[in-house]
Amino acid sequence: MSRQLASEIHSMESGSQRIFRIPTALRAATLSLAMALVTAVTVHAGGFGGANSGAVGGVVIDSEGIVRSATVDEQQDFANRIRALLDAPAGDWNEASDMRVVSLRGLQDQVAKARAEGRPIPDEVSLMAGLTRIEYVFVDSDRSDILVAGPAEPWKLLPEGSIVGTKTGQTILRLDDLAVALQSVEMARQQGILCSIEPTAQGRANLKKMLSRVALRPGQNPSYLVPAMREAFGPQQVQLAGIPGESRMARTLVAADFEMKRLAMGLVDSPVRGLPSYLDMAKNSTQSRSSNPRWWMACDYDNLRRSDDGLAWKISGQGVKTMTDNDLIEADGRAVAANQKSKVAQRWADLMTQQFNELAKSMPVFSDLQSTMDMNVVATLIVQERLAEKANLDLTILSSDKDTLDLGSYFVPEEIPPHCSFIQGVNGWIVTASGGVDINAFQIVEKQTVDAKVADVRTATLAAAGDRWWWNK
């Protein structure tokens, strides 16, 4: 298939799709069946409300669950709405810092003050003083506080509505994401934090049966199959666990999965050299008729380093890695673990992991995913290690789900209709691509190493504290 056709129908499933091998009569083409989901809607920067719909990254999703490409006018309209709510940084906020320290007690005080005065939460509070990552967590027992620290920079609005740093292009952290992470720790303990879009077993079986009857003539364009394939495959089920389904964080997970699959299946050109699509890499490889590669993004951190007294913590690592495994598709459409990996799929996963930071600069949704990983690791650390108790800090404003904060509500449908696109190959028809996001912050927090240097950083940080809720070290 031509790239033009791929762009015209440029949707793909952002969750767990599967790959079926088609009989030898169809080895003249490679087909990817996929489905699109909206990228994350940008939060109301001046508070915690958000747009319930909008065009981000060129995709629109409406209240009926219909997914389509956004027009240029829709993208501009959405960005303009955010621009009207976002103040440009001025004064101290125009300065970048390798290490900015932010007080959680101070953040809560700022929120409470804004609420008491009947005004929106200031942008610098909603945007956590411009932090782009969290690298340290400190307990300040003397001031009954918990401090988070990391690199920070001024912010700007991208044309499609993302708020990123002016220096690195990384996504600016959001206070509402931290609140959702804190409120979701116990839910995540029970369920894990997972995101996928699952085709039904019946849909897989129907599609496999339908394609088994297809025989293309030489040179015939397979696009005529699209309507029948959509009908056979049926709606895809959106699955989320461990966080509120209406949260911005939920949309971030789905959007990141969606963009990963678009890259893997060649439905969007990679902005990073050295990261071809999986289909380009797999064109001339031999694949099993029933073994299907899938990919998912997971946490990627070094062992947490802490002081001996547990009052200072260092978080390091990229934050996100791409994993792969294989599924076997049974005759009835059920997917079961194959307990083996495709070498080509593993190579693509490794490349995406290696190129992730560079990719995040061009595709902010991946930087959003880094932020989500950071927030959940920090929230789990605070709860698991009882840091609020050690600090004698009441975190009710951030950690309560009793509408203390207006976190907004973002529509994510329970099911989404399929969309199809095609990419030409030589080894059969790749019908679907799998994926997902899996955040296991508890596993990260369990891996700890004592490092006396982290205590020294805490001591210097507390000594630099003033009367503001943030400062540069």
Side-chain angles (χ1 to χ4, degrees):
M1 163 195 93
S2 69
R3 189 168 294 279
Q4 179 180 1
L5 177 58
S7 65
E8 288 175 355
I9 321 176
H10 67 92
S11 308
M12 70 175 304
E13 181 184 36
S14 53
S16 294
Q17 306 166 16
R18 311 296 176 188
I19 295 177
F20 296 102
R21 292 287 296 136
I22 305 304
T24 55
L26 299 179
R27 287 181 182 173
T30 296
L31 170 75
S32 79
L33 171 66
M35 182 162 157
L37 246 185
V38 68
T39 52
V41 172
T42 304
V43 72
H44 184 318
F48 289 91
N52 289 327
S53 62
V56 184
V59 182
V60 165
I61 184 169
D62 64 24
S63 60
E64 301 299 322
I66 303 301
V67 182
R68 59 180 173 79
S69 298
T71 66
V72 173
D73 287 343
E74 286 171 331
Q75 291 191 56
Q76 290 178 345
D77 175 68
F78 180 65
N80 287 338
R81 283 187 283 140
I82 300 302
R83 189 174 293 107
L85 301 170
L86 179 68
D87 293 330
D92 291 342
W93 302 115
N94 263 325
E95 298 179 8
S97 173
D98 291 335
M99 184 170 173
R100 181 162 295 165
V101 186
V102 177
S103 158
L104 296 193
R105 179 179 181 179
L107 283 174
Q108 291 198 134
D109 288 346
Q110 290 293 312
V111 170
K113 182 179 179 182
R115 296 296 186 192
E117 295 174 356
R119 56 181 176 82
I121 298 171
D123 292 346
E124 59 268 20
V125 176
S126 294
L127 299 177
M128 294 190 64
L131 290 178
T132 56
R133 298 292 302 272
I134 294 179
E135 297 179 344
Y136 289 95
V137 179
F138 303 124
V139 172
D140 184 350
S141 304
D142 292 339
R143 297 178 179 85
S144 298
D145 206 353
I146 295 175
L147 310 175
V148 295
E153 52 192 285
W155 51 86
K156 66 179 180 180
L157 182 70
L158 294 183
E160 96 289 349
S162 296
I163 302 175
V164 302
T166 58
K167 181 180 178 182
T168 64
Q170 286 187 287
T171 295
I172 302 295
L173 301 188
R174 310 291 183 86
L175 186 59
D176 63 329
D177 285 342
L178 177 59
V180 168
L182 285 167
Q183 294 171 17
S184 302
V185 171
E186 294 308 323
M187 189 189 314
R189 189 192 304 276
Q190 301 299 321
Q191 307 177 45
I193 296 177
L194 302 169
C195 165
S196 68
I197 303 176
E198 293 285 349
T200 63
Q202 186 62 54
R204 295 190 197 103
N206 291 344
L207 183 63
K208 188 175 183 179
K209 182 178 179 180
M210 173 244 164
L211 290 173
S212 70
R213 299 193 297 263
V214 173
L216 289 180
R217 298 186 300 274
Q220 185 177 13
N221 191 325
S223 61
Y224 81 94
L225 295 171
V226 171
M229 290 176 61
R230 287 177 175 170
E231 182 178 355
F233 206 47
Q236 316 304 292
Q237 309 301 308
V238 178
Q239 298 186 0
L240 288 164
I243 56 174
E246 72 279 3
S247 65
R248 177 183 180 273
M249 186 177 289
R251 279 207 169 184
T252 295
L253 301 189
V254 174
D257 181 25
F258 165 56
E259 293 292 10
M260 177 179 67
K261 294 284 87 54
R262 296 216 306 167
L263 288 167
M265 303 306 288
L267 295 173
V268 62
D269 291 331
S270 171
V272 177
R273 294 184 62 182
L275 182 62
S277 71
Y278 165 74
L279 287 185
D280 284 340
M281 296 171 63
K283 279 180 181 177
N284 298 314
S285 66
T286 301
Q287 301 192 37
S288 166
R289 290 177 178 272
S290 59
S291 182
N292 305 280
R294 58 186 173 89
W295 301 272
W296 68 97
M297 290 174 286
C299 292
D300 185 24
Y301 292 89
D302 305 324
N303 284 1
L304 298 188
R305 287 184 282 164
R306 64 173 177 84
S307 60
D308 187 58
D309 58 9
L311 299 181
W313 298 81
K314 166 71 172 174
I315 302 170
S316 61
Q318 180 168 273
V320 185
K321 62 183 175 182
T322 304
M323 310 281 285
T324 187
D325 208 339
N326 271 21
D327 282 343
L328 291 175
I329 306 303
E330 304 285 1
D332 62 1
R334 292 182 300 111
V336 297
N339 297 318
Q340 63 181 5
K341 298 180 181 180
S342 157
K343 292 182 179 180
V344 179
Q346 182 64 63
R347 193 155 65 244
W348 190 84
D350 291 342
L351 283 174
M352 183 170 178
T353 298
Q354 294 164 14
Q355 301 284 355
F356 191 88
N357 283 330
E358 191 66 27
L359 194 62
K361 295 178 183 178
S362 300
M363 303 179 71
V365 68
F366 292 118
S367 187
D368 269 338
L369 184 62
Q370 279 182 320
S371 300
T372 297
M373 298 291 194
D374 282 0
M375 292 301 196
N376 281 286
V377 169
V378 169
T380 303
L381 173 64
I382 289 173
V383 173
Q384 195 76 344
E385 296 296 327
R386 302 181 181 276
L387 300 190
E389 293 180 24
K390 292 180 180 179
N392 193 27
L393 172 64
D394 182 357
L395 278 176
T396 299
I397 290 180
L398 291 180
S399 62
S400 172
D401 60 358
K402 306 298 183 183
D403 296 325
T404 307
L405 292 175
D406 174 14
L407 297 176
S409 180
Y410 301 83
F411 176 75
V412 176
E414 294 182 358
E415 62 179 33
I416 302 177
H419 295 266
C420 302
S421 61
F422 299 83
I423 299 175
Q424 194 169 8
V426 295
N427 293 319
W429 290 20
I430 298 178
V431 178
T432 57
S434 68
V437 178
D438 180 0
I439 302 178
N440 188 342
F442 289 93
Q443 186 179 61
I444 302 302
V445 172
E446 287 173 359
K447 299 177 180 179
Q448 306 174 9
T449 302
V450 175
D451 184 348
K453 294 180 180 179
V454 181
D456 295 338
V457 178
R458 173 180 176 268
T459 298
T461 299
L462 298 187
D467 58 359
R468 296 198 296 183
W469 60 271
W470 68 275
W471 63 92
N472 295 328
K473 178 180 173 297

PDB file of all heavy atoms in Angstrom, residues 441-470:
ATOM      1  N   ALA A 441       4.507   0.781  40.005  1.00  0.00           N
ATOM      2  CA  ALA A 441       5.357   1.648  40.825  1.00  0.00           C
ATOM      3  C   ALA A 441       5.797   0.952  42.106  1.00  0.00           C
ATOM      4  O   ALA A 441       6.857   1.267  42.652  1.00  0.00           O
ATOM      5  CB  ALA A 441       4.611   2.940  41.159  1.00  0.00           C
ATOM      6  N   PHE A 442       5.006   0.004  42.592  1.00  0.00           N
ATOM      7  CA  PHE A 442       5.385  -0.710  43.815  1.00  0.00           C
ATOM      8  C   PHE A 442       6.679  -1.485  43.599  1.00  0.00           C
ATOM      9  O   PHE A 442       7.539  -1.556  44.485  1.00  0.00           O
ATOM     10  CB  PHE A 442       4.260  -1.656  44.244  1.00  0.00           C
ATOM     11  CG  PHE A 442       3.058  -0.943  44.779  1.00  0.00           C
ATOM     12  CD1 PHE A 442       2.001  -0.622  43.938  1.00  0.00           C
ATOM     13  CD2 PHE A 442       2.990  -0.564  46.111  1.00  0.00           C
ATOM     14  CE1 PHE A 442       0.894   0.048  44.422  1.00  0.00           C
ATOM     15  CE2 PHE A 442       1.884   0.108  46.610  1.00  0.00           C
ATOM     16  CZ  PHE A 442       0.838   0.417  45.761  1.00  0.00           C
ATOM     17  N   GLN A 443       6.829  -2.078  42.429  1.00  0.00           N
ATOM     18  CA  GLN A 443       8.047  -2.821  42.122  1.00  0.00           C
ATOM     19  C   GLN A 443       9.262  -1.896  42.122  1.00  0.00           C
ATOM     20  O   GLN A 443      10.344  -2.278  42.570  1.00  0.00           O
ATOM     21  CB  GLN A 443       7.893  -3.497  40.756  1.00  0.00           C
ATOM     22  CG  GLN A 443       9.029  -4.414  40.379  1.00  0.00           C
ATOM     23  CD  GLN A 443       8.779  -5.061  39.031  1.00  0.00           C
ATOM     24  OE1 GLN A 443       8.650  -4.403  38.010  1.00  0.00           O
ATOM     25  NE2 GLN A 443       8.700  -6.389  39.039  1.00  0.00           N
ATOM     26  N   ILE A 444       9.078  -0.669  41.657  1.00  0.00           N
ATOM     27  CA  ILE A 444      10.181   0.295  41.648  1.00  0.00           C
ATOM     28  C   ILE A 444      10.544   0.698  43.077  1.00  0.00           C
ATOM     29  O   ILE A 444      11.719   0.740  43.451  1.00  0.00           O
ATOM     30  CB  ILE A 444       9.798   1.544  40.832  1.00  0.00           C
ATOM     31  CG1 ILE A 444       9.414   1.161  39.389  1.00  0.00           C
ATOM     32  CG2 ILE A 444      10.927   2.561  40.842  1.00  0.00           C
ATOM     33  CD1 ILE A 444      10.495   0.434  38.640  1.00  0.00           C
ATOM     34  N   VAL A 445       9.538   0.979  43.897  1.00  0.00           N
ATOM     35  CA  VAL A 445       9.780   1.449  45.259  1.00  0.00           C
ATOM     36  C   VAL A 445      10.427   0.360  46.109  1.00  0.00           C
ATOM     37  O   VAL A 445      11.177   0.655  47.057  1.00  0.00           O
ATOM     38  CB  VAL A 445       8.466   1.953  45.889  1.00  0.00           C
ATOM     39  CG1 VAL A 445       8.638   2.263  47.374  1.00  0.00           C
ATOM     40  CG2 VAL A 445       7.977   3.199  45.145  1.00  0.00           C
ATOM     41  N   GLU A 446      10.181  -0.896  45.801  1.00  0.00           N
ATOM     42  CA  GLU A 446      10.759  -1.992  46.581  1.00  0.00           C
ATOM     43  C   GLU A 446      12.267  -2.109  46.398  1.00  0.00           C
ATOM     44  O   GLU A 446      12.959  -2.647  47.257  1.00  0.00           O
ATOM     45  CB  GLU A 446      10.098  -3.320  46.174  1.00  0.00           C
ATOM     46  CG  GLU A 446       8.671  -3.473  46.675  1.00  0.00           C
ATOM     47  CD  GLU A 446       8.004  -4.712  46.112  1.00  0.00           C
ATOM     48  OE1 GLU A 446       8.676  -5.427  45.324  1.00  0.00           O
ATOM     49  OE2 GLU A 446       6.838  -4.963  46.449  1.00  0.00           O
ATOM     50  N   LYS A 447      12.797  -1.602  45.293  1.00  0.00           N
ATOM     51  CA  LYS A 447      14.219  -1.745  44.995  1.00  0.00           C
ATOM     52  C   LYS A 447      14.963  -0.514  45.499  1.00  0.00           C
ATOM     53  O   LYS A 447      14.949   0.540  44.861  1.00  0.00           O
ATOM     54  CB  LYS A 447      14.432  -1.938  43.497  1.00  0.00           C
ATOM     55  CG  LYS A 447      13.764  -3.195  42.951  1.00  0.00           C
ATOM     56  CD  LYS A 447      13.928  -3.312  41.456  1.00  0.00           C
ATOM     57  CE  LYS A 447      13.265  -4.563  40.917  1.00  0.00           C
ATOM     58  NZ  LYS A 447      13.408  -4.680  39.442  1.00  0.00           N
ATOM     59  N   GLN A 448      15.609  -0.648  46.660  1.00  0.00           N
ATOM     60  CA  GLN A 448      16.232   0.486  47.337  1.00  0.00           C
ATOM     61  C   GLN A 448      17.695   0.193  47.659  1.00  0.00           C
ATOM     62  O   GLN A 448      18.061  -0.937  47.946  1.00  0.00           O
ATOM     63  CB  GLN A 448      15.488   0.809  48.639  1.00  0.00           C
ATOM     64  CG  GLN A 448      14.004   1.043  48.478  1.00  0.00           C
ATOM     65  CD  GLN A 448      13.305   1.214  49.812  1.00  0.00           C
ATOM     66  OE1 GLN A 448      13.944   1.323  50.863  1.00  0.00           O
ATOM     67  NE2 GLN A 448      11.980   1.262  49.783  1.00  0.00           N
ATOM     68  N   THR A 449      18.488   1.250  47.615  1.00  0.00           N
ATOM     69  CA  THR A 449      19.901   1.170  47.977  1.00  0.00           C
ATOM     70  C   THR A 449      20.240   2.353  48.870  1.00  0.00           C
ATOM     71  O   THR A 449      19.874   3.493  48.553  1.00  0.00           O
ATOM     72  CB  THR A 449      20.794   1.214  46.723  1.00  0.00           C
ATOM     73  OG1 THR A 449      20.444   0.129  45.852  1.00  0.00           O
ATOM     74  CG2 THR A 449      22.266   1.111  47.101  1.00  0.00           C
ATOM     75  N   VAL A 450      20.901   2.108  49.984  1.00  0.00           N
ATOM     76  CA  VAL A 450      21.306   3.195  50.878  1.00  0.00           C
ATOM     77  C   VAL A 450      22.508   3.924  50.279  1.00  0.00           C
ATOM     78  O   VAL A 450      23.467   3.309  49.841  1.00  0.00           O
ATOM     79  CB  VAL A 450      21.648   2.656  52.280  1.00  0.00           C
ATOM     80  CG1 VAL A 450      22.193   3.777  53.170  1.00  0.00           C
ATOM     81  CG2 VAL A 450      20.418   2.009  52.911  1.00  0.00           C
ATOM     82  N   ASP A 451      22.413   5.258  50.258  1.00  0.00           N
ATOM     83  CA  ASP A 451      23.479   6.099  49.695  1.00  0.00           C
ATOM     84  C   ASP A 451      23.608   7.343  50.573  1.00  0.00           C
ATOM     85  O   ASP A 451      22.716   8.195  50.594  1.00  0.00           O
ATOM     86  CB  ASP A 451      23.132   6.480  48.256  1.00  0.00           C
ATOM     87  CG  ASP A 451      24.224   7.269  47.563  1.00  0.00           C
ATOM     88  OD1 ASP A 451      25.161   7.726  48.246  1.00  0.00           O
ATOM     89  OD2 ASP A 451      24.135   7.457  46.331  1.00  0.00           O
ATOM     90  N   ALA A 452      24.717   7.458  51.269  1.00  0.00           N
ATOM     91  CA  ALA A 452      24.906   8.583  52.192  1.00  0.00           C
ATOM     92  C   ALA A 452      24.899   9.929  51.483  1.00  0.00           C
ATOM     93  O   ALA A 452      24.552  10.953  52.082  1.00  0.00           O
ATOM     94  CB  ALA A 452      26.222   8.406  52.959  1.00  0.00           C
ATOM     95  N   LYS A 453      25.242   9.953  50.190  1.00  0.00           N
ATOM     96  CA  LYS A 453      25.282  11.218  49.456  1.00  0.00           C
ATOM     97  C   LYS A 453      23.898  11.848  49.338  1.00  0.00           C
ATOM     98  O   LYS A 453      23.773  13.074  49.256  1.00  0.00           O
ATOM     99  CB  LYS A 453      25.871  10.993  48.060  1.00  0.00           C
ATOM    100  CG  LYS A 453      27.338  10.590  48.070  1.00  0.00           C
ATOM    101  CD  LYS A 453      27.841  10.385  46.646  1.00  0.00           C
ATOM    102  CE  LYS A 453      29.306   9.972  46.645  1.00  0.00           C
ATOM    103  NZ  LYS A 453      29.816   9.735  45.273  1.00  0.00           N
ATOM    104  N   VAL A 454      22.862  11.017  49.322  1.00  0.00           N
ATOM    105  CA  VAL A 454      21.493  11.543  49.204  1.00  0.00           C
ATOM    106  C   VAL A 454      21.140  12.345  50.456  1.00  0.00           C
ATOM    107  O   VAL A 454      20.452  13.377  50.379  1.00  0.00           O
ATOM    108  CB  VAL A 454      20.489  10.392  48.984  1.00  0.00           C
ATOM    109  CG1 VAL A 454      19.068  10.938  48.839  1.00  0.00           C
ATOM    110  CG2 VAL A 454      20.868   9.598  47.737  1.00  0.00           C
ATOM    111  N   ALA A 455      21.608  11.902  51.605  1.00  0.00           N
ATOM    112  CA  ALA A 455      21.379  12.661  52.844  1.00  0.00           C
ATOM    113  C   ALA A 455      22.066  14.014  52.780  1.00  0.00           C
ATOM    114  O   ALA A 455      21.531  15.022  53.271  1.00  0.00           O
ATOM    115  CB  ALA A 455      21.879  11.862  54.043  1.00  0.00           C
ATOM    116  N   ASP A 456      23.248  14.071  52.181  1.00  0.00           N
ATOM    117  CA  ASP A 456      23.969  15.343  52.051  1.00  0.00           C
ATOM    118  C   ASP A 456      23.194  16.315  51.167  1.00  0.00           C
ATOM    119  O   ASP A 456      23.137  17.523  51.455  1.00  0.00           O
ATOM    120  CB  ASP A 456      25.362  15.106  51.462  1.00  0.00           C
ATOM    121  CG  ASP A 456      26.256  14.279  52.387  1.00  0.00           C
ATOM    122  OD1 ASP A 456      25.980  14.258  53.601  1.00  0.00           O
ATOM    123  OD2 ASP A 456      27.219  13.673  51.882  1.00  0.00           O
ATOM    124  N   VAL A 457      22.597  15.819  50.102  1.00  0.00           N
ATOM    125  CA  VAL A 457      21.799  16.674  49.220  1.00  0.00           C
ATOM    126  C   VAL A 457      20.594  17.222  49.982  1.00  0.00           C
ATOM    127  O   VAL A 457      20.234  18.398  49.849  1.00  0.00           O
ATOM    128  CB  VAL A 457      21.337  15.909  47.969  1.00  0.00           C
ATOM    129  CG1 VAL A 457      20.456  16.791  47.086  1.00  0.00           C
ATOM    130  CG2 VAL A 457      22.540  15.411  47.166  1.00  0.00           C
ATOM    131  N   ARG A 458      19.970  16.387  50.796  1.00  0.00           N
ATOM    132  CA  ARG A 458      18.834  16.844  51.607  1.00  0.00           C
ATOM    133  C   ARG A 458      19.251  17.965  52.550  1.00  0.00           C
ATOM    134  O   ARG A 458      18.563  18.994  52.668  1.00  0.00           O
ATOM    135  CB  ARG A 458      18.251  15.675  52.398  1.00  0.00           C
ATOM    136  CG  ARG A 458      17.171  16.090  53.407  1.00  0.00           C
ATOM    137  CD  ARG A 458      16.623  14.887  54.159  1.00  0.00           C
ATOM    138  NE  ARG A 458      15.661  15.290  55.176  1.00  0.00           N
ATOM    139  CZ  ARG A 458      15.962  15.543  56.442  1.00  0.00           C
ATOM    140  NH1 ARG A 458      17.240  15.453  56.855  1.00  0.00           N
ATOM    141  NH2 ARG A 458      15.022  15.900  57.294  1.00  0.00           N
ATOM    142  N   THR A 459      20.370  17.787  53.221  1.00  0.00           N
ATOM    143  CA  THR A 459      20.845  18.787  54.176  1.00  0.00           C
ATOM    144  C   THR A 459      21.055  20.138  53.479  1.00  0.00           C
ATOM    145  O   THR A 459      20.626  21.184  53.981  1.00  0.00           O
ATOM    146  CB  THR A 459      22.154  18.328  54.827  1.00  0.00           C
ATOM    147  OG1 THR A 459      21.921  17.108  55.547  1.00  0.00           O
ATOM    148  CG2 THR A 459      22.684  19.371  55.789  1.00  0.00           C
ATOM    149  N   ALA A 460      21.707  20.120  52.315  1.00  0.00           N
ATOM    150  CA  ALA A 460      21.952  21.362  51.577  1.00  0.00           C
ATOM    151  C   ALA A 460      20.652  21.975  51.077  1.00  0.00           C
ATOM    152  O   ALA A 460      20.480  23.203  51.061  1.00  0.00           O
ATOM    153  CB  ALA A 460      22.885  21.081  50.405  1.00  0.00           C
ATOM    154  N   THR A 461      19.709  21.128  50.679  1.00  0.00           N
ATOM    155  CA  THR A 461      18.422  21.629  50.175  1.00  0.00           C
ATOM    156  C   THR A 461      17.623  22.312  51.272  1.00  0.00           C
ATOM    157  O   THR A 461      17.066  23.398  51.077  1.00  0.00           O
ATOM    158  CB  THR A 461      17.611  20.462  49.585  1.00  0.00           C
ATOM    159  OG1 THR A 461      18.343  19.878  48.500  1.00  0.00           O
ATOM    160  CG2 THR A 461      16.260  20.942  49.075  1.00  0.00           C
ATOM    161  N   LEU A 462      17.554  21.699  52.447  1.00  0.00           N
ATOM    162  CA  LEU A 462      16.805  22.294  53.552  1.00  0.00           C
ATOM    163  C   LEU A 462      17.456  23.590  54.026  1.00  0.00           C
ATOM    164  O   LEU A 462      16.759  24.533  54.432  1.00  0.00           O
ATOM    165  CB  LEU A 462      16.710  21.303  54.716  1.00  0.00           C
ATOM    166  CG  LEU A 462      15.973  19.983  54.450  1.00  0.00           C
ATOM    167  CD1 LEU A 462      15.812  19.190  55.744  1.00  0.00           C
ATOM    168  CD2 LEU A 462      14.632  20.218  53.798  1.00  0.00           C
ATOM    169  N   ALA A 463      18.782  23.648  53.948  1.00  0.00           N
ATOM    170  CA  ALA A 463      19.480  24.863  54.381  1.00  0.00           C
ATOM    171  C   ALA A 463      19.174  26.048  53.469  1.00  0.00           C
ATOM    172  O   ALA A 463      19.242  27.202  53.904  1.00  0.00           O
ATOM    173  CB  ALA A 463      20.994  24.604  54.409  1.00  0.00           C
ATOM    174  N   ALA A 464      18.810  25.750  52.216  1.00  0.00           N
ATOM    175  CA  ALA A 464      18.519  26.826  51.255  1.00  0.00           C
ATOM    176  C   ALA A 464      17.064  27.273  51.282  1.00  0.00           C
ATOM    177  O   ALA A 464      16.678  28.196  50.554  1.00  0.00           O
ATOM    178  CB  ALA A 464      18.888  26.370  49.835  1.00  0.00           C
ATOM    179  N   ALA A 465      16.237  26.640  52.114  1.00  0.00           N
ATOM    180  CA  ALA A 465      14.813  26.962  52.161  1.00  0.00           C
ATOM    181  C   ALA A 465      14.581  28.381  52.662  1.00  0.00           C
ATOM    182  O   ALA A 465      15.279  28.863  53.560  1.00  0.00           O
ATOM    183  CB  ALA A 465      14.075  25.971  53.052  1.00  0.00           C
ATOM    184  N   GLY A 466      13.612  29.054  52.065  1.00  0.00           N
ATOM    185  CA  GLY A 466      13.239  30.390  52.508  1.00  0.00           C
ATOM    186  C   GLY A 466      11.784  30.422  52.909  1.00  0.00           C
ATOM    187  O   GLY A 466      11.258  29.435  53.435  1.00  0.00           O
ATOM    188  N   ASP A 467      11.122  31.516  52.605  1.00  0.00           N
ATOM    189  CA  ASP A 467       9.720  31.645  52.986  1.00  0.00           C
ATOM    190  C   ASP A 467       8.777  31.453  51.799  1.00  0.00           C
ATOM    191  O   ASP A 467       7.593  31.750  51.893  1.00  0.00           O
ATOM    192  CB  ASP A 467       9.473  33.006  53.635  1.00  0.00           C
ATOM    193  CG  ASP A 467       9.867  34.162  52.708  1.00  0.00           C
ATOM    194  OD1 ASP A 467      10.333  33.897  51.584  1.00  0.00           O
ATOM    195  OD2 ASP A 467       9.721  35.331  53.140  1.00  0.00           O
ATOM    196  N   ARG A 468       9.318  30.959  50.654  1.00  0.00           N
ATOM    197  CA  ARG A 468       8.479  30.690  49.500  1.00  0.00           C
ATOM    198  C   ARG A 468       8.168  29.186  49.417  1.00  0.00           C
ATOM    199  O   ARG A 468       8.822  28.363  50.048  1.00  0.00           O
ATOM    200  CB  ARG A 468       9.182  31.135  48.206  1.00  0.00           C
ATOM    201  CG  ARG A 468       9.413  32.637  48.136  1.00  0.00           C
ATOM    202  CD  ARG A 468       9.681  33.110  46.719  1.00  0.00           C
ATOM    203  NE  ARG A 468      10.908  32.560  46.158  1.00  0.00           N
ATOM    204  CZ  ARG A 468      11.377  32.890  44.949  1.00  0.00           C
ATOM    205  NH1 ARG A 468      10.713  33.770  44.197  1.00  0.00           N
ATOM    206  NH2 ARG A 468      12.495  32.369  44.490  1.00  0.00           N
ATOM    207  N   TRP A 469       7.185  28.834  48.594  1.00  0.00           N
ATOM    208  CA  TRP A 469       6.804  27.431  48.440  1.00  0.00           C
ATOM    209  C   TRP A 469       7.685  26.718  47.414  1.00  0.00           C
ATOM    210  O   TRP A 469       7.522  25.508  47.207  1.00  0.00           O
ATOM    211  CB  TRP A 469       5.328  27.295  48.088  1.00  0.00           C
ATOM    212  CG  TRP A 469       4.899  27.962  46.804  1.00  0.00           C
ATOM    213  CD1 TRP A 469       4.476  29.255  46.676  1.00  0.00           C
ATOM    214  CD2 TRP A 469       4.834  27.380  45.506  1.00  0.00           C
ATOM    215  NE1 TRP A 469       4.170  29.521  45.358  1.00  0.00           N
ATOM    216  CE2 TRP A 469       4.368  28.390  44.624  1.00  0.00           C
ATOM    217  CE3 TRP A 469       5.129  26.120  44.981  1.00  0.00           C
ATOM    218  CZ2 TRP A 469       4.192  28.172  43.263  1.00  0.00           C
ATOM    219  CZ3 TRP A 469       4.946  25.886  43.631  1.00  0.00           C
ATOM    220  CH2 TRP A 469       4.482  26.907  42.789  1.00  0.00           C
ATOM    221  N   TRP A 470       8.585  27.418  46.799  1.00  0.00           N
ATOM    222  CA  TRP A 470       9.544  26.812  45.872  1.00  0.00           C
ATOM    223  C   TRP A 470      10.829  27.619  45.907  1.00  0.00           C
ATOM    224  O   TRP A 470      10.842  28.792  46.293  1.00  0.00           O
ATOM    225  CB  TRP A 470       8.992  26.798  44.442  1.00  0.00           C
ATOM    226  CG  TRP A 470       8.878  28.192  43.848  1.00  0.00           C
ATOM    227  CD1 TRP A 470       7.835  29.064  43.997  1.00  0.00           C
ATOM    228  CD2 TRP A 470       9.869  28.866  43.071  1.00  0.00           C
ATOM    229  NE1 TRP A 470       8.114  30.248  43.359  1.00  0.00           N
ATOM    230  CE2 TRP A 470       9.364  30.149  42.764  1.00  0.00           C
ATOM    231  CE3 TRP A 470      11.136  28.530  42.587  1.00  0.00           C
ATOM    232  CZ2 TRP A 470      10.052  31.084  42.017  1.00  0.00           C
ATOM    233  CZ3 TRP A 470      11.836  29.465  41.839  1.00  0.00           C
ATOM    234  CH2 TRP A 470      11.301  30.715  41.545  1.00  0.00           C
TER     235      TRP A 470
END
